[in-house]
Amino acid sequence: QVQLAESGGGAVQAGASLRLACAASTSSGTFNRCAMAWFRQAPGKDRELVAAINRNGVNTVYGDFAKGRFTVSRDNSKKTVHLQMNNLQPEDTAVYYCAADVNAILYDVPATASRYDYWGQGTQVTVSS
């Protein structure tokens, strides 16, 4: 069982930065076995991958829109995952969700939502022009 809690969302102007955090409530052993990801969903749109990271943080995958602007990282000792978002634009407005895949092999970085077993409640990011 993994419980995830996101924080760090808010309302900002275009060009600003935000750092999202995802805290996992589970054993360290379980967290270390999880690939982690951030997805987002805007009103009327499908949920899409923002970034994902493998169990030991070596491998990452980004959505095309996130490349060069967003960075995902994890701290297994603190059971947390972060998403640094720079140069935010109005089209980045969405609810951002943290997700965990407890069945990932070591270097696997799942990119599809169906692979993830546990989800947080989401944090709203609103970017105004």
Side-chain angles (χ1 to χ4, degrees):
Q1 186 79 9
V2 181
Q3 292 182 316
L4 302 172
E6 302 97 335
S7 61
V12 297
Q13 292 192 324
S17 298
L18 282 175
R19 182 174 172 84
L20 304 185
C22 172
S25 296
T26 188
S27 69
S28 294
T30 296
F31 185 77
N32 291 350
R33 292 194 298 271
C34 291
M36 302 295 296
W38 289 93
F39 288 81
R40 72 183 187 183
Q41 188 164 20
K45 295 188 176 182
D46 293 335
R47 190 168 295 192
E48 60 180 349
L49 175 73
V50 180
I53 189 166
N54 81 307
R55 287 165 48 179
N56 63 6
V58 171
N59 294 332
T60 57
V61 170
Y62 292 91
D64 287 343
F65 62 87
K67 294 176 182 177
R69 297 191 299 136
F70 295 0
T71 302
V72 62
S73 61
R74 67 188 292 163
D75 185 339
N76 285 356
S77 68
K78 297 181 180 179
K79 295 181 286 184
T80 59
V81 181
H82 287 96
L83 182 68
Q84 177 68 41
M85 304 188 295
N86 297 328
N87 190 24
L88 284 161
Q89 299 299 315
E91 53 266 34
D92 295 316
T93 295
V95 177
Y96 284 70
Y97 297 92
C98 179
D101 173 2
V102 299
N103 298 306
I105 59 176
L106 181 58
Y107 293 108
D108 192 18
V109 191
T112 55
S114 60
R115 284 285 307 273
Y116 289 86
D117 311 289
Y118 297 97
W119 295 79
Q121 293 297 309
T123 185
Q124 177 70 46
V125 172
T126 303
V127 185
S128 59
S129 57

